[in-house]
Amino acid sequence: MSLSSESIVLSSASEFNYEQLAEIYNQTRVDYLVPMPMNAARLQEYVETYDVSLADSFVALTPGGEKLGVAMLGLRSDRAWITRLGVIPTTRRHGTGAALMRALIARAEELGRKFVMLEVIKHNEPAHQLFLKLGFYEVGELLVLRRSPNQPLRDPIVADARRLERLDALVLAGHDRGTQPWTNQSESLANAGDVSGLYATLADDSRGWLVYQRKKFLLTRFAIKTEAGDPATVAYALLTHLHAQYPRLDTQIENIQVNDPHLLAYQWMGYVEAFRRIEMWRGQPPASLRLGKQI
Amino acid sequence: MTTILLVEDSPDTAELVRKALTARGYNFLHAPDAESGLRLARENQPDLILLDLGLPDYDGQTLAGWLRDVPALKDTLIVAFTAWPRETARQMVESYGCNGYISKPVEKIKEFIAQVESFLKSA
């Protein structure tokens, strides 16, 4: 296929339904190491959870209407997020990705969001280079971790573990968690269904909380905070209680920062690293993000 | 007849595998997502399940957990079919109770068939 940047037409993603968007997105990922395909329902949940604005997202087409790629824009009060960027393999290296990215950055600026976040899968060099070229800089590495329900169950650490209902859980998760990647910000938890939490106090008065989403077959979207004591020990206590409560559920948690003080607890619980992403930012982060007060 | 279930969302890959396996005389079943994979596995109790780890409704790892929860499928051969790097594939396979993995994409049909048959012989 021969294309010039002038022959790329960008249409608003809101002109397509979820089935069509999922189909385009899946086509862009067929040759990825981690393709992460989605059906329409999964994509709709993604859009709603992460505040993706389809009206401000784009599908790239040829003038004849052939689909080339897709990219989506998430919008929150003072920041934007670029996600689901993909170009159909047979049409790559013709500027579609750059055209989509420039359009999203311009749209974010028009809407008053000068600060833009994104994540790129580690070792996806073409995308990484494109983002650097467009002014993004690296912030750190993020881990995607999984834990199988086939693991032997650990006895819960003796602790006073109290269940937190949704509202209490969201209040805790809504402040003082430091800078989080978009997917783990408080808004994501607030948008997600079936969120609740655990508050644990250990015998030595170490204490902390875990907020999580329980889906039909999966535990996900963890936010952990240690209020007192050793973070790994507190997190291990919380995780042993959680997995004892839901022994048959698979677990996937995304975008855990490599310097997360609770990381050791995940290792003790048998979590394995699925893959890594690199977090990248463009512009100066707003104060709300630095303080971890996203709501 | 030996039955092999492929759970794989890519139609091109599914067609390639179907041709390769039916040419060798295997009974071939295909599911494009996790839910239909679980249904076909329950209904047909295949001898081997080839499981893509990236599926559009639920991840292959989650499906592996469901499959191992079905008493009739507890000992069925489950082989991850993935493009993930070897070490990641190995860890996932071990953690999720699969019997091994075969790397994608399939470049040499003979090699792919040999890998499938090696798993079947090991059962």
Side-chain angles (χ1 to χ4, degrees), chain A residues 211-224:
Chain A
V211 175
Y212 61 93
Q213 182 186 21
R214 180 175 59 83
K215 297 169 102 171
K216 196 173 174 188
F217 304 106
L218 197 71
L219 296 170
T220 188
R221 295 186 212 294
F222 289 5
I224 299 185

Side-chain angles (χ1 to χ4, degrees), chain A residues 1-17 20-21 23-25 27-28 57-71 85-88 91 94-101 103:
Chain A
M1 172 181 279
S2 173
L3 275 177
S4 67
S5 56
E6 294 77 31
S7 58
I8 297 167
V9 177
L10 299 182
S11 290
S12 168
S14 57
E15 292 171 22
F16 299 80
N17 62 35
Q20 292 167 322
L21 290 172
E23 191 185 333
I24 300 166
Y25 168 74
Q27 283 177 38
T28 69
S57 301
F58 296 104
V59 171
L61 306 157
T62 64
E66 190 182 344
K67 294 171 185 85
L68 299 170
V70 64
L85 169 69
V87 178
I88 291 171
T91 69
H94 294 287
T96 304
L100 283 163
M101 283 296 296

Side-chain angles (χ1 to χ4, degrees), chain A residues 209-267:
Chain A
W209 48 262
L210 160 67
V211 175
Y212 61 93
Q213 182 186 21
R214 180 175 59 83
K215 297 169 102 171
K216 196 173 174 188
F217 304 106
L218 197 71
L219 296 170
T220 188
R221 295 186 212 294
F222 289 5
I224 299 185
K225 170 85 178 173
T226 299
E227 292 182 342
D230 171 52
T233 307
V234 171
Y236 185 66
L238 289 160
L239 292 171
T240 54
H241 279 268
L242 181 72
H243 290 299
Q245 201 175 337
Y246 302 109
R248 292 162 71 90
L249 293 188
D250 190 16
T251 308
Q252 181 181 27
I253 48 174
E254 298 217 20
N255 298 344
I256 306 298
Q257 290 157 327
V258 289
N259 57 357
D260 186 314
H262 307 103
L263 207 53
L264 209 51
Y266 293 119
Q267 292 170 15

Side-chain angles (χ1 to χ4, degrees), chain A residues 26 32-35 37-39 42 146-151 216-218 248 250-252 270 272-275, chain B residues 9-10 35 52 54-59 61-62 64-66 68-69 82-85 88 91-92 95-97:
Chain A
N26 290 341
Y32 273 38
L33 279 183
V34 189
M38 293 181 133
N39 61 14
R42 209 170 176 181
R146 295 201 74 116
R147 182 182 183 278
S148 156
N150 300 325
Q151 305 261 346
K216 196 173 174 188
F217 304 106
L218 197 71
R248 292 162 71 90
D250 190 16
T251 308
Q252 181 181 27
V272 292
E273 181 180 324
F275 59 95
Chain B
D9 65 307
S10 159
E35 287 208 27
D52 180 13
L55 295 168
D57 51 352
Y58 298 96
D59 293 344
Q61 292 96 318
T62 305
W66 298 350
R68 284 292 181 235
D69 249 10
T82 179
W84 283 19
T88 312
Q91 280 196 330
M92 287 295 153
S95 178
Y96 280 85

Side-chain angles (χ1 to χ4, degrees), chain B residues 5-55:
Chain B
L5 167 63
L6 171 70
V7 189
E8 163 68 63
D9 65 307
S10 159
D12 292 346
T13 305
E15 181 58 14
L16 181 72
V17 173
R18 185 193 66 77
K19 280 184 182 164
L21 293 177
T22 52
R24 289 286 293 181
Y26 293 109
N27 183 30
F28 176 79
L29 301 169
H30 172 231
D33 56 36
E35 287 208 27
S36 58
L38 180 64
R39 182 174 49 77
L40 279 182
R42 275 183 164 148
E43 288 170 1
N44 297 277
Q45 295 180 22
D47 300 281
L48 185 148
I49 299 169
L50 274 173
L51 178 59
D52 180 13
L53 294 182
L55 295 168

Side-chain angles (χ1 to χ4, degrees), chain A residues 78 114-116 137 281-287 289-290:
Chain A
D78 50 10
K114 291 190 172 158
F115 176 68
V116 185
Y137 54 94
W281 292 353
R282 188 175 190 274
Q284 288 306 306
L289 191 72
R290 291 196 303 274

